[in-house]
Amino acid sequence: MRWLFSLAFLPGIVLAAPPFERPGLGLNPDTLQQHRMVLEQGLPDATLDQRGSPEITTLDFNTLLRLRVVSRMEIQVGINSYRYQRFESANDTGDLDGLGDSSIGAKFALYRGEVFRAALLGGMLMDTSSDGFSDDEDGSFVALSGGWWLDDRHQLQLSVRLDDDGTESRTTVVPSWHARLNDQWAVFLDAGFTHNQDNGDDNNRAGGGITWMLTPQVQFDLYGRGALESDSVDNEAGLGVAIAF
């Protein structure tokens, strides 16, 4: 059944957490400053696609390692360390598992002000997948993000990302709202509007999530999103952890 995960508007206090990328769809407009390295891990990230036959359930254990090189610049290395897919139709059921794709990119802080910040991310997509997931093509990506701090507790973000995996090109626009409730808890709402330039197979979804700072350097996250139309992936959900060093 399709659903839309939603959260009520709640107040927060000073935004003090490291600028983790998880768990939102968009690009965080801030870069690492006080921390030199961040590890972000999906536990896992899941999707349910019921648009056709067979129905496809996917679990991705995505890993992202971020390294601060100099002020306002960081390197990001991503790998889908384990992927599992289950296919179900009226006549057949099967599954696949193995390694997913990898990526490497550089993120730059274009502007850092008290009210507005902007960042640019660009890099390569590498086909490191196991045989069942591989399309034997490498690709590239670029993303631009802006963030507006409304006060010391609320933030608006808007990002645009272009992906070309060697076989298809996609553009994703992500508006989002973030609020810190206290020193440990924060919430966000976001929407992702993805257009496939090659076949028109768009994917539009919206939802939100919550984060919990176990310590000032360790964050756990929980999120969920639902399709905005019948032609989009039905559900997205996930758990994750991010650790700053």
Side-chain angles (χ1 to χ4, degrees):
M1 181 177 65
R2 299 178 186 276
W3 51 270
L4 179 61
F5 184 89
S6 62
L7 294 170
F9 185 96
L10 293 172
I13 64 171
V14 177
L15 186 65
F20 295 127
E21 299 287 0
R22 285 193 64 90
L25 279 172
L27 175 69
N28 193 317
D30 212 348
T31 54
L32 296 175
Q33 297 298 315
Q34 299 178 354
H35 304 92
R36 294 190 175 274
M37 182 172 66
V38 162
L39 175 66
E40 305 186 27
Q41 178 66 53
L43 298 173
D45 300 301
T47 60
L48 173 61
D49 188 350
Q50 298 175 308
R51 291 177 294 179
S53 182
E55 296 180 0
I56 303 174
T57 301
T58 305
L59 303 179
D60 290 313
F61 289 82
N62 293 300
T63 303
L64 181 66
L65 180 64
R66 301 166 57 195
L67 303 171
R68 180 164 70 92
V69 180
V70 295
S71 177
R72 301 194 178 195
M73 176 184 174
E74 63 183 65
I75 298 297
Q76 297 191 357
V77 179
I79 183 171
N80 193 336
S81 51
Y82 179 74
R83 163 171 272 207
Y84 172 83
Q85 277 191 345
R86 182 172 180 82
F87 306 86
E88 295 186 24
S89 67
N91 301 319
D92 192 21
T93 298
D95 54 22
L96 292 171
D97 69 334
L99 190 67
D101 285 346
S102 302
S103 65
I104 183 168
K107 181 179 179 182
F108 305 90
L110 300 179
Y111 182 80
R112 285 180 54 85
E114 293 185 2
V115 175
F116 177 76
R117 295 179 184 179
L120 176 69
L121 171 68
M124 298 183 301
L125 299 169
M126 296 170 288
D127 183 10
T128 58
S129 297
S130 302
D131 291 342
F133 302 118
S134 175
D135 57 10
D136 296 320
E137 296 285 350
D138 296 328
S140 60
F141 63 92
V142 62
L144 179 65
S145 177
W148 293 263
W149 274 254
L150 305 180
D151 50 35
D152 60 2
R153 60 183 70 176
H154 302 108
Q155 180 191 160
L156 295 176
Q157 292 182 16
L158 180 65
S159 68
V160 179
R161 177 174 172 127
L162 288 80
D163 289 272
D164 184 345
D165 63 9
T167 59
E168 295 180 346
S169 298
R170 295 177 299 276
T171 302
T172 302
V173 178
V174 180
S176 61
W177 167 85
H178 305 253
R180 182 151 296 278
L181 310 181
N182 53 42
D183 288 338
Q184 286 79 41
W185 297 93
V187 296
F188 74 92
L189 300 173
D190 66 5
F193 304 95
T194 299
H195 175 63
N196 190 314
Q197 286 94 312
D198 296 296
N199 59 22
D201 186 15
D202 296 349
N203 184 22
N204 302 316
R205 63 275 197 210
I210 190 167
T211 62
W212 172 48
M213 299 299 297
L214 178 63
T215 75
Q217 287 78 38
V218 179
Q219 171 188 281
F220 287 93
D221 65 70
L222 170 67
Y223 70 89
R225 299 182 187 93
L228 295 177
E229 57 188 8
S230 60
D231 292 334
S232 297
V233 173
D234 296 76
N235 293 323
E236 298 178 356
L239 297 167
V241 61
I243 306 171
F245 301 91

